[in-house]
Amino acid sequence: MIPEGSRALLQSQGHAGFDSMTREELRDFQRLFFVWKREAESKVESYLVDRSFVDVAAIWMERDTFDQSLELQNELVLPCKDLAKKYTLHIHAPGMASSFHHNGVRESDLSLHRRIAVRVAQYLNDWKLPHLSLTSSTLDLRVREVRAELERRSLITPPA
């Protein structure tokens, strides 16, 4: 399991949450997070990760560079696209943004979270990445969906 890591990186940069950061600080953070993530994932052969490079690219586009040049947007989107291809399966939880609760670290803008969620879904489809979009609303049913998909793909064996 590779932890998401952004909180520790955020604190190391002297910030308690994203809402207090300037756009340039947000871009600098995302660049650092990208490098940290690429390094962390290169050290292991098999792992489970909370945030994929699809998320990194979606946040970069929707929060950090939505009004910037294509060149700046592609700075992280293109390498994220390549790195996202190495994942065996992406588990996509649409609708999670609508149940978002501000924790003091994440951005408080619910519309931003919704735009990021739409962008994640777009990248999963446009980049033709293997993914499961969950349809259930409760945690128990979502776990069953994931388990069934992992069994279908022979990534885990069903219980005896």
Side-chain angles (χ1 to χ4, degrees):
M1 174 83 173
I2 298 176
E4 175 261 340
S6 66
R7 283 186 174 92
L9 183 58
L10 188 65
Q11 289 176 347
S12 76
Q13 298 298 303
H15 296 283
F18 292 107
D19 280 342
S20 63
M21 297 170 74
T22 67
R23 293 279 306 285
E24 193 56 40
E25 288 171 330
L26 289 167
R27 284 191 289 270
D28 288 344
F29 171 85
Q30 199 69 347
R31 287 178 182 111
L32 287 171
F33 182 73
F34 171 85
V35 170
W36 173 86
K37 181 172 192 51
R38 185 180 59 200
E39 177 67 19
E41 291 182 11
S42 73
K43 293 178 181 176
V44 291
E45 208 170 291
S46 178
Y47 55 89
L48 177 65
V49 64
D50 178 31
R51 295 244 176 205
S52 78
F53 282 103
V54 176
D55 298 278
V56 175
I59 293 166
W60 180 252
M61 282 296 295
E62 294 300 327
R63 182 192 69 192
D64 302 332
T65 64
F66 64 90
D67 59 352
Q68 302 295 306
S69 70
L70 183 60
E71 180 181 9
L72 183 59
Q73 291 172 345
N74 284 337
E75 177 186 332
L76 288 189
V77 171
L78 295 179
C80 283
K81 179 181 179 181
D82 288 338
L83 289 163
K85 292 176 184 174
K86 70 181 181 176
Y87 297 119
T88 304
L89 179 66
H90 297 259
I91 307 297
H92 179 229
M96 292 298 286
S98 62
S99 62
F100 170 77
H101 299 292
H102 186 249
N103 62 6
V105 176
R106 298 181 194 163
E107 297 84 350
S108 57
D109 181 359
L110 182 56
S111 68
L112 171 64
H113 291 279
R114 288 185 179 130
R115 291 191 311 275
I116 290 169
V118 168
R119 181 71 68 165
V120 165
Q122 176 192 343
Y123 284 159
L124 288 170
N125 290 311
D126 290 355
W127 297 349
K128 297 178 179 22
L129 298 170
H131 67 280
L132 168 65
S133 289
L134 300 175
T135 58
S136 301
S137 59
T138 66
L139 179 60
D140 184 52
L141 292 174
R142 286 177 179 224
V143 168
R144 287 185 198 174
E145 278 185 86
V146 170
R147 184 168 192 81
E149 182 65 15
L150 294 175
E151 288 173 7
R152 187 185 76 73
R153 293 174 179 259
S154 299
L155 295 170
I156 61 171
T157 54

